[in-house]
């Protein structure tokens, strides 16, 4: 019986993006209520050598779209890193969600042993589908989702664990 990789992939990313979009909206409302310029939150980082909130959202988007594309054996859409506002970040999330929702279940299911190559500027990594998803793609996505959440919490945005989880059920 084939592993249902789709169930481990697309729904997890969709849930994460639903939560991320909601906590970005809370961040905007918090900034407006406190008179904080939006750019201060968008460029905030947990530590000086870490990426900004904007970059964390962009990297979560990339992690999810490339995971879906690599597992399905299709091309991911190009989404340039040009966002400079909460609205633009939410539009990026929406574009990523639309792409993920366009991937048919049968394009991912059963590909646990498919070869997946991840190329970086300095090297290439070889995986099998299941190992790529569980050992790289999901941890990478959740790293950026968690870091974005942490940046906002660190900057006083009133978020809690349920905001991160995106609701249960």
């Amino acid at each position: 019986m084939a592993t249902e990789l789709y169930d481990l992939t697309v729904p997890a990313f969709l849930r994460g993006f639903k939560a991320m979009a909601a906590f970005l909206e809370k961040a905007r409302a918090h900034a407006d209520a406190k008179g904080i310029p939006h750019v201060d939150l968008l460029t905030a980082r947990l530590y000086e050598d870490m990426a900004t909130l904007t970059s964390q959202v962009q990297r979560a988007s990339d992690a999810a779209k490339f995971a879906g594309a690599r597992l399905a054996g299709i091309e991911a859409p190009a989404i340039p890193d040009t966002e400079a506002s909460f609205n633009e970040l939410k539009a990026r999330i929406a574009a990523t969600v639309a792409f993920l929702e366009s991937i048919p279940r049968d394009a991912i299911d059963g590909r646990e042993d498919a070869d997946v190559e991840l190329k970086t500027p300095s090297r290439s990594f070889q995986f099998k589908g299941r190992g790529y998803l569980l050992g790289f793609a999901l941890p990478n996505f959740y790293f950026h989702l968690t870091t974005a959440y942490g940046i906002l919490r660190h900057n006083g945005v009133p978020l809690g664990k349920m905001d991160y989880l995106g609701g249960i059920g």
Side-chain angles (χ1 to χ4, degrees):
M1 179 176 187
T3 302
E4 294 182 350
L5 286 181
Y6 184 93
D7 289 334
L8 300 174
T9 309
V10 174
F13 294 141
L14 297 180
R15 184 177 182 169
F17 284 127
K18 179 180 176 187
M20 182 178 269
F23 60 71
L24 288 174
E25 193 54 44
K26 278 192 170 186
R28 179 200 337 244
H30 173 76
D32 291 345
K34 299 290 185 182
I36 301 168
H38 290 184
V39 70
D40 288 0
L41 289 180
L42 295 168
T43 61
R45 44 183 100 225
L46 287 177
Y47 195 73
E48 63 191 38
D49 68 347
M50 292 181 74
T52 65
L53 173 66
T54 296
S55 184
Q56 298 299 336
V57 176
Q58 293 165 340
R59 297 300 70 78
S61 166
D62 289 347
K65 75 175 182 171
F66 286 126
R70 287 180 182 123
L71 289 170
I74 61 176
E75 288 293 316
I79 305 176
D81 295 339
T82 58
E83 296 82 13
S85 71
F86 286 112
N87 283 341
E88 290 173 350
L89 288 175
K90 288 178 72 178
R92 184 187 183 110
I93 290 170
T96 306
V97 165
F99 170 67
L100 292 169
E101 289 176 335
S102 77
I103 301 172
R105 171 182 285 280
D106 63 0
I108 293 176
D109 279 349
R111 292 187 41 89
E112 64 271 6
D113 292 321
D115 291 326
V116 174
E117 182 177 23
L118 170 63
K119 292 181 182 182
T120 70
S122 61
R123 64 184 280 202
S124 211
F125 298 90
Q126 305 299 319
F127 297 93
K128 294 297 182 185
R130 184 178 175 84
Y132 166 71
L133 175 64
L134 298 176
F136 182 82
L138 285 172
N140 188 39
F141 174 75
Y142 284 115
F143 172 85
H144 294 293
L145 178 68
T146 301
T147 303
Y149 172 90
I151 288 169
L152 294 174
R153 281 292 295 132
H154 181 73
N155 282 276
V157 177
L159 297 170
K161 187 174 184 178
M162 294 308 291
D163 293 299
Y164 176 85
L165 293 175
I168 297 187

